Amino acid sequence: MDIKAEDLKILFSEDQIQTKIKEIAAELNTLYGSEEVYAICVLKGAVFFAIDLVKHLNMPLKMEFIRLSSYGSGFASSGKVNAVDISLPDLNGKNVLIIEDIIDTGLTAKFLMDFMHCNFKTKSTKFCSLLDKKITRKTDIEPDYYGFEIDNKFVVGYGLDYEGYYRNLKYIGYVEEK
Ligand code: IMP
Ligand code: MG
C-alpha cells in the first residue's frame, strides 16, 4: 500500500494535539517543580512534539537531540534499533526526560532506557511519548507519560512519517483500510 495525501483521515487535529501537550506539560511542571531537566528529543519523529512540549515547561531545561532508527521503510518495524547518533553530555545526577513520538513495539524505548541505565546514574529517567500503540507492544516498557493511546493504525503527520513524507502535517492522520 502507498499513502496518498487525499486518502488521509484526521485522527488527532492540531487543536487536540496542542491541548494534550499543555496537559502533559502541566503534569511535568508539577513533577519537576524548579528542578533542572535534560529533555532528550529522539530524532526525527519527536522533534515537533518535543519543541511544542518544552515551550510549556517552566523549569531550567536543556535540550539534547539523539537520532535512532528502527523503521527501515514502509510500515513494519525492522525489529532492530540503530543508534545513528547518540552522543550525550554527562547525565549523572540529572533529571532526564526522553521525548518520543510513538511507542509501537517498544524496542526503541527499551533500547533507550537500557542505554541510560548502562551509561549514567541519573537522578531520574522518565519516558514521555505523544502516542502509545499498546496493542503492538513486544516489550514490557510503558511510558511514564503519553498523550493518546491508539490502536494498530499506521499514522503520519506531526513528525511521524511514511517513507520520509508527511512529517510536516499539523495533524496526525491515518489511512482507513478499505
Ligand atoms: P518501536 O521501536 O517499535 O516502538 O517503534 C518506534 C518508532 O517506530 C517510532 O519512533 C516511529 O519512528 C516508528 N513508528 C512506529 N509506529 C509508527 C506509525 O504508525 N507511523 C510512523 N512511524 C511509526
Ligand atoms: Mg521515532
Side-chain angles (χ1 to χ4, degrees):
M1 189 178 74
D2 218 19
I3 295 186
K4 295 200 189 68
E6 60 267 27
D7 294 334
L8 283 177
K9 301 251 186 313
I10 295 181
L11 186 59
F12 302 112
S13 68
E14 184 182 7
D15 269 8
Q16 283 175 295
I17 295 168
Q18 295 303 327
T19 302
K20 186 62 82 176
I21 286 174
K22 285 179 204 151
E23 288 170 20
I24 299 172
E27 288 188 62
L28 294 171
N29 281 326
T30 304
L31 173 76
Y32 293 117
S34 56
E35 284 189 30
E36 184 173 281
V37 170
Y38 277 69
I40 301 183
C41 168
V42 185
L43 295 173
K44 301 173 188 171
V47 72
F48 292 64
F49 174 46
I51 298 285
D52 283 344
L53 181 69
V54 298
K55 286 185 231 171
H56 298 287
L57 297 180
N58 303 325
M59 70 292 295
L61 180 141
K62 289 188 181 181
M63 280 191 94
E64 295 294 332
F65 297 84
I66 59 175
R67 182 146 172 222
L68 300 179
S69 69
S70 69
Y71 269 51
S73 63
F75 303 104
S77 179
S78 65
K80 267 205 307 219
V81 180
N82 298 314
V84 182
D85 175 5
I86 199 160
S87 45
L88 285 166
D90 180 3
L91 296 172
N92 289 306
K94 309 292 186 192
N95 292 306
V96 172
L97 176 67
I98 300 172
I99 306 177
E100 251 290 34
D101 50 359
I102 186 166
I103 304 190
D104 179 17
T105 62
L107 288 166
T108 306
K110 184 149 179 42
F111 173 89
L112 274 173
M113 292 306 269
D114 289 349
F115 180 87
M116 287 298 157
H117 288 135
C118 290
N119 289 280
F120 306 107
K121 262 198 160 41
T122 62
K123 182 166 187 196
S124 69
T125 307
K126 300 283 181 195
F127 202 100
C128 176
S129 180
L130 179 61
L131 302 178
D132 189 359
K133 264 193 217 176
K134 290 194 190 297
I135 201 163
T136 48
R137 195 78 91 250
K138 290 187 183 146
T139 56
D140 57 3
I141 223 103
E142 286 295 330
D144 299 289
Y145 296 89
Y146 67 91
F148 305 99
E149 182 175 343
I150 63 169
D151 55 18
N152 193 8
K153 282 185 172 67
F154 189 82
V155 292
V156 296
Y158 197 67
L160 293 141
D161 74 302
Y162 171 67
E163 299 202 335
Y165 294 102
Y166 302 117
R167 291 192 199 277
N168 56 315
L169 300 178
K170 294 191 182 86
Y171 63 90
I172 292 173
Y174 70 103
V175 180
E176 200 153 38
E177 289 188 36
K178 304 207 174 85

